Amino acid sequence: IRDRSPSRGLGDVYKRQGPGRVADDGSRIPMELAAGDKVIYSKFAGTEYKDGDDEYLILRESDILAKVS
């Protein structure tokens, strides 16, 4: 998720993703989102990360409530 608006939970543009999660059988489950997707996420979800002047919110895919167009 890129730089966030002051009101958390309203939504933002999905920026980057990891390789997906690992299932119980060891197989990789790919993410269903792509860079540039607009998403709505839970108000208290994620971990805040700051890199210089840039602020990011790191989320699990399960914390994303909806993908909007």
Side-chain angles (χ1 to χ4, degrees), residues 7-19:
S7 51
R8 281 186 74 172
L10 293 178
D12 213 332
V13 175
Y14 185 74
K15 190 166 184 179
R16 296 184 189 153
Q17 69 187 31

Side-chain angles (χ1 to χ4, degrees), residues 1-61:
I1 304 290
R2 67 174 181 174
D3 298 341
R4 297 187 338 233
S5 62
S7 51
R8 281 186 74 172
L10 293 178
D12 213 332
V13 175
Y14 185 74
K15 190 166 184 179
R16 296 184 189 153
Q17 69 187 31
R21 68 182 180 94
V22 178
D24 293 335
D25 65 1
S27 63
R28 179 76 59 183
I29 301 173
M31 301 278 287
E32 294 184 26
L33 298 170
D37 287 347
K38 293 182 181 180
V39 296
I40 298 173
Y41 50 87
S42 177
K43 185 174 183 178
F44 298 106
T47 301
E48 295 179 359
Y49 172 74
K50 188 170 183 177
D51 182 23
D53 291 335
D54 297 325
E55 293 184 20
Y56 299 93
L57 181 63
I58 300 170
L59 296 170
R60 292 175 158 251
E61 188 174 31

